[in-house]
Amino acid sequence: MMDWEKIAAQTPIPGFVGKVMHSDSMSFVLWEIAAGTLLPEHAHLHEQVVHMLDGTFELTVDGRTETLSRGQVAAIPSNARHSGRALTDCRILDAFCPVREDYRNGLTSSVISGTANG
């Protein structure tokens, strides 16, 4: 059993506050994102599933932009270039497979922007 309440929040870039946990084969990040915050374009080998818990988020994947709102889910394929923008305050649960080893040492701006190794 994992408990979000027992995980320390991290702020890798202004406007993004996240909590990370890992299972044997996946990583999860519970995000709180301030309205107007930009997610820099990046890619990673991990497949990513974005579950919108609250708010409205504009997500661009391989040049195609969609607006996600509460209850919607988007899948980002491995190595797809993606970026985004919080149109309102958002709560998002991201799931990654395989495990994000680069997240084990904390969320940093280089990890979020895709300039870190991992």
Side-chain angles (χ1 to χ4, degrees):
M1 178 68 76
M2 297 178 268
D3 184 350
W4 289 116
E5 295 298 318
K6 296 180 180 177
I7 297 173
Q10 302 172 55
T11 305
I13 56 177
F16 273 80
V17 177
K19 295 181 176 187
V20 180
M21 64 173 65
H22 307 279
S23 69
D24 289 340
S25 60
M26 300 177 69
S27 295
F28 307 90
V29 183
L30 181 60
W31 292 110
E32 291 189 18
I33 307 168
T37 303
L38 299 177
L39 174 66
E41 184 178 70
H42 65 286
H44 40 74
L45 66 88
H46 313 84
E47 181 177 14
Q48 178 177 352
V49 175
V50 179
H51 183 179
M52 292 297 302
L53 301 176
D54 287 302
T56 306
F57 192 84
E58 185 177 82
L59 179 66
T60 301
V61 179
D62 284 338
R64 182 176 173 195
T65 301
E66 299 284 342
T67 301
L68 303 173
S69 58
R70 183 182 175 153
Q72 292 185 304
V73 176
I76 302 172
S78 175
N79 295 311
R81 303 283 314 159
H82 56 285
S83 60
R85 178 171 59 113
L87 301 178
T88 67
D89 289 344
C90 295
R91 285 185 58 236
I92 296 175
L93 176 62
D94 281 338
F96 299 90
C97 187
V99 169
R100 289 290 305 247
E101 294 296 337
D102 54 344
Y103 282 10
R104 289 200 190 272
N105 295 318
L107 298 171
T108 65
S109 61
S110 62
V111 168
I112 300 304
S113 67
T115 58
N117 294 327

